[in-house]
Amino acid sequence: MKKMEIVIAKNAGFCFGVKRAINLVVKAGEGKKSLYTLGPIIHNPQVVDKLEKQGVGIIYDLHKFKKGRIVVRSHGADLSFFKEAREKGIEIVDATCPFVKSAQNLIKQLSKDNYKVVIVGEKDHPEVKGLISYANTEVEVIQKTNQLKNVFCWKRIGVISQTTQSRENFKIIVSGLLQHTKEIKIYNTICEATQDRQNEAKKIAQRVNLMLIIGGYNSANTNRLARTCKEIQKKTYHIETEKDLETSWFKNVKKVGISTGTSTPQWIIEEVVKKLRRLKL
Ligand code: SF4
């Protein structure tokens, strides 16, 4: 029988910011002092488990924290966290992604220049919560057009985006703001990593019989990627590891496509491919 063809997206695996954060954790873990991450380092339970087994703990705030070093994940953290850590003399390893850092700096500058700030994004996302703390002025998080009315009376607006927002939604919100605001400064802070991944996965989904999206079930960008591919290829399955694969999915399938969220490590992709090669169809 002819072997099933497997097409793996070129940009599958960690994005730049996640790779950098994981490398910083691994390097910091070589030191003697105990190491913690502020929340799970990434939205991938298998990687988080692996790090925990290597002795990397997780903390959620500084209230009861006594000693050790803390890694700030790629989403960044609240300014108040850095302040409190400094006051307590706690050593911080800052793994904030440079793209998120740049959005934080732009918010600081907009506040200084007397712009009120609109962040296009999800208000409960950790990156957005961190971004808000950098605004020394009024700030509004907008995800949908029905929230635009909250800022219609603002005269000078600075707009930035959560790094993982879609370009389409950013355009919709910005054009809504343009209809009501005299002065507006727009910074496109969308990270291309997620957009490029979506575009590549969409193309692959068009030419395969089944699409696998690998990544944490708790990862927003993996879920979004799976949803997008499902619109093109009905046989799209979101899995976390090779254990989630079901042989029945692959009956009469000649070509399988694989893409991943930005927090999926290479070793999980390899395990999935290994299992696919072993499937008895
Ligand atoms: S998706 Fe983009 S902004 Fe987010 S961590 Fe990865 S590279 Fe950085």
Side-chain angles (χ1 to χ4, degrees):
M1 199 204 292
K2 216 177 154 215
K3 263 208 314 201
M4 192 164 62
E5 193 183 334
I6 301 171
V7 183
I8 305 173
K10 285 198 184 65
N11 55 23
F14 288 159
C15 65
F16 154 77
V18 167
K19 201 184 282 168
R20 181 176 170 272
I22 296 291
N23 286 343
L24 283 169
V25 175
V26 171
K27 195 151 175 257
E30 290 162 2
K32 288 205 175 72
K33 270 192 254 169
S34 41
L35 187 69
Y36 298 84
T37 60
L38 182 63
I41 183 75
I42 53 174
H43 289 145
N44 185 282
Q46 291 73 31
V47 173
V48 172
D49 275 5
K50 209 172 177 187
L51 287 171
E52 262 190 298
K53 283 184 190 127
Q54 290 165 11
V56 182
I58 299 176
I59 59 144
Y60 291 90
D61 57 54
L62 283 177
H63 298 322
K64 290 184 188 150
F65 192 76
K66 295 248 159 38
K67 46 175 205 218
R69 290 158 305 155
I70 301 175
V71 183
V72 169
R73 56 193 176 174
S74 53
H75 291 323
D78 265 43
L79 259 184
S80 60
F81 166 83
F82 287 101
K83 189 169 170 269
E84 200 181 336
R86 231 184 354 258
E87 282 164 6
K88 288 187 164 171
I90 294 164
E91 195 185 321
I92 297 294
V93 178
D94 189 359
T96 307
C97 176
F99 298 134
V100 176
K101 207 41 124 232
S102 147
Q104 292 170 343
N105 290 335
L106 286 170
I107 291 189
K108 255 200 261 176
Q109 192 55 49
L110 285 166
S111 308
K112 248 194 224 157
D113 298 342
N114 289 323
Y115 285 89
K116 291 181 179 171
V117 173
V118 167
I119 302 172
V120 181
E122 303 146 59
K123 76 172 182 353
D124 293 325
H125 191 283
E127 178 192 320
V128 174
K129 285 184 178 167
L131 287 174
I132 293 170
S133 71
Y134 286 79
N136 202 3
T137 178
E138 272 183 83
V139 56
E140 187 76 29
V141 181
I142 294 185
Q143 172 82 38
K144 297 197 173 116
T145 46
N146 62 6
Q147 298 164 298
L148 284 167
K149 57 182 180 313
N150 301 345
V151 299
F152 281 167
C153 60
W154 289 3
K155 300 271 185 298
R156 301 180 88 201
I157 298 183
V159 193
I160 68 130
S161 174
Q162 179 184 344
T163 52
T164 47
Q165 278 292 294
S166 75
R167 232 178 270 153
E168 289 73 35
N169 198 43
F170 189 62
K171 267 196 254 166
I172 291 169
I173 301 298
V174 166
S175 53
L177 288 170
L178 281 169
Q179 288 169 34
H180 293 269
T181 316
K182 281 246 170 337
E183 190 177 340
I184 186 162
K185 208 169 198 175
I186 304 157
Y187 290 103
N188 177 0
T189 50
I190 294 172
C191 164
E192 298 301 318
T194 37
Q195 199 64 52
D196 291 350
R197 211 166 274 251
Q198 293 249 357
N199 294 342
E200 190 188 12
K202 279 201 258 182
K203 280 190 197 144
I204 296 176
Q206 276 161 13
R207 59 186 179 95
V208 295
N209 315 109
L210 185 146
M211 192 73 192
L212 291 174
I213 304 298
I214 314 172
Y217 293 133
N218 58 345
S219 155
N221 76 79
T222 312
N223 279 298
R224 212 175 305 136
L225 193 61
R227 272 200 307 274
T228 307
C229 288
K230 208 169 176 76
E231 281 166 20
I232 299 164
Q233 171 52 258
K234 276 205 182 64
K235 276 188 165 189
T236 294
Y237 297 96
H238 176 177
I239 59 167
E240 266 191 3
T241 70
E242 82 286 355
K243 294 191 183 91
D244 302 327
L245 290 172
E246 287 183 27
T247 314
S248 60
W249 297 345
F250 298 91
K251 213 172 159 222
N252 301 325
V253 168
K254 291 191 178 62
K255 222 183 210 184
V256 179
I258 295 181
S259 184
T260 76
T262 52
S263 324
T264 306
Q266 199 57 37
W267 58 268
I268 292 189
I269 306 173
E270 283 162 17
E271 291 298 322
V272 170
V273 171
K274 236 195 264 170
K275 177 127 181 219
L276 287 176
R277 299 254 183 255
R278 283 200 309 259
L279 282 182
K280 292 207 172 24
L281 300 169

